[in-house]
């Protein structure tokens, strides 16, 4: 009799487990009549947790152990790899790839907007609360990232410290592993930041700049376009456009000649910069 009961229990478990993926897919796809049609061409792994109120575009792939919050918006053709998370009021544009363990957004007042065709690296943390002690709980805070950026593993990018400000990153930037962009920074486009580049709060970086590894930029500094920051530099003052700085504290080392040539400046234009 005990053997029969055990067999029945085993069969019930098998039936339950066999039904879980179907029930899970049905739960994820039945958000609403409209979003169900959109999600019909998307793949959501049964082990993912997607809130019924989340907006999921077409052709989206959500891997196992991912979570997508109620206010999240996932654009068409996005890929969420294993264990990545999209929380809070966070919008992810079309064609973005979120790699293993990355965290986008936070359950805070305000919003995180990430544009199209961005790659968010493994265990990167993007759009979370800032580390500024002046931030007041309950205040809205914002982050806006443009298109075609590659944000590599273990990077951290924080929202603004005040509702009247916004952390901004433009287009076509390469932000290498373990970089940090603090609250209220304004980053332009076509920049390359090597590993462990750290920007304090309110830093402004224009376009087409390049940092070598382990660069630290003090809060409120302004980094001009086409400048180069040498490896290990500690930058505590503004950096003029077209120049190269290095050292602790960083000093002017001349024009960024190689950077200017790589960006298509003619010899005549370089002479004018002198």
């Amino acid at each position: 009799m005990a053997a029969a009961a055990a067999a029945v229990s085993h069969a019930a478990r098998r039936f339950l487990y066999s039904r879980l993926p179907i029930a899970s897919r049905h739960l994820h796809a039945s958000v609403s009549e409209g979003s169900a049609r959109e999600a019909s061409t998307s793949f959501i792994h049964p082990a993912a947790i997607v809130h019924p109120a989340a907006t999921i575009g077409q052709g989206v792939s959500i891997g196992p152990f991912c979570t997508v919050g109620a206010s999240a918006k996932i654009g068409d053709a996005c890929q969420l790899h294993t264990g990545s998370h999209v929380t809070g009021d966070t919008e992810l544009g079309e064609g973005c790839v979120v790699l293993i363990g990355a965290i986008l957004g936070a359950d805070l007042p305000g919003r995180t907007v990430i544009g199209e065709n961005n790659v968010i690296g493994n265990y990167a943390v993007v759009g979370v609360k800032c580390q500024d002690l002046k931030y007041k709980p309950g205040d809205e805070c914002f982050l806006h990232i443009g298109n075609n950026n590659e944000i590599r593993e273990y990077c951290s990018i924080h929202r603004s410290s005040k509702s009247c400000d916004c952390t901004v990153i433009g287009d076509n930037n390469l932000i290498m592993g373990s970089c940090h962009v603090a609250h209220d920074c304004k980053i332009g486009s076509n920049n390359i930041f090597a590993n462990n580049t750290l920007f304090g709060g309110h830093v402004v970086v224009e376009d087409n700049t390049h940092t070598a590894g382990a660069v630290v930029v003090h809060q409120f500094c302004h980094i001009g376009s086409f400048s180069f920051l040498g490896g290990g530099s500690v930058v505590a003052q503004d950096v003029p456009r077209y120049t190269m700085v290095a050292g602790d504290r960083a000093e002017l080392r001349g024009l960024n000649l190689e950077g200017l040539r790589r960006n298509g400046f003619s010899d005549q234009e370089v002479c004018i910069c002198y």
Side-chain angles (χ1 to χ4, degrees), residues 173-256:
N173 295 291
L174 171 56
I175 304 176
M176 298 186 194
S178 301
C179 289
H180 175 64
V181 178
H183 59 91
D184 309 295
C185 284
K186 303 293 187 291
I187 309 296
S189 299
N190 304 304
N191 297 291
I192 299 174
F193 305 142
N195 300 70
N196 296 292
T197 293
L198 310 177
F199 294 108
H202 302 276
V203 167
V204 175
V205 181
E206 296 182 3
D207 301 328
N208 298 286
T209 70
H210 191 169
T211 72
V215 168
V216 178
V217 180
H218 193 273
Q219 60 185 1
F220 291 101
C221 285
H222 190 120
I223 311 301
S225 295
F226 301 102
S227 59
F228 179 83
L229 282 57
S233 294
V234 178
V235 179
Q237 296 176 300
D238 293 350
V239 176
R241 294 176 181 175
Y242 315 117
T243 62
M244 179 169 55
V245 302
D248 179 11
R249 295 317 192 236
E251 297 178 353
L252 189 63
R253 308 290 181 172
L255 285 180
N256 180 21

Side-chain angles (χ1 to χ4, degrees), residues 115-195:
E116 299 178 358
N117 301 313
N118 293 290
V119 177
I120 313 296
N122 300 313
Y123 302 101
V125 179
V126 177
V128 297
K129 186 180 80 169
C130 69
Q131 298 174 145
D132 189 345
L133 295 178
K134 295 191 296 296
Y135 171 77
K136 297 178 181 179
D139 280 359
E140 291 187 322
C141 47
F142 301 95
L143 167 66
H144 191 285
I145 296 177
N147 304 323
N148 305 308
N149 297 288
E150 184 171 3
I151 299 168
R152 292 299 300 265
E153 60 275 6
Y154 298 103
C155 285
S156 55
I157 301 175
H158 291 174
R159 290 202 217 174
S160 62
S161 61
K162 298 175 291 185
S163 59
C164 61
D165 211 333
C166 182
T167 305
V168 178
I169 296 177
D171 304 326
N172 304 305
N173 295 291
L174 171 56
I175 304 176
M176 298 186 194
S178 301
C179 289
H180 175 64
V181 178
H183 59 91
D184 309 295
C185 284
K186 303 293 187 291
I187 309 296
S189 299
N190 304 304
N191 297 291
I192 299 174
F193 305 142
N195 300 70

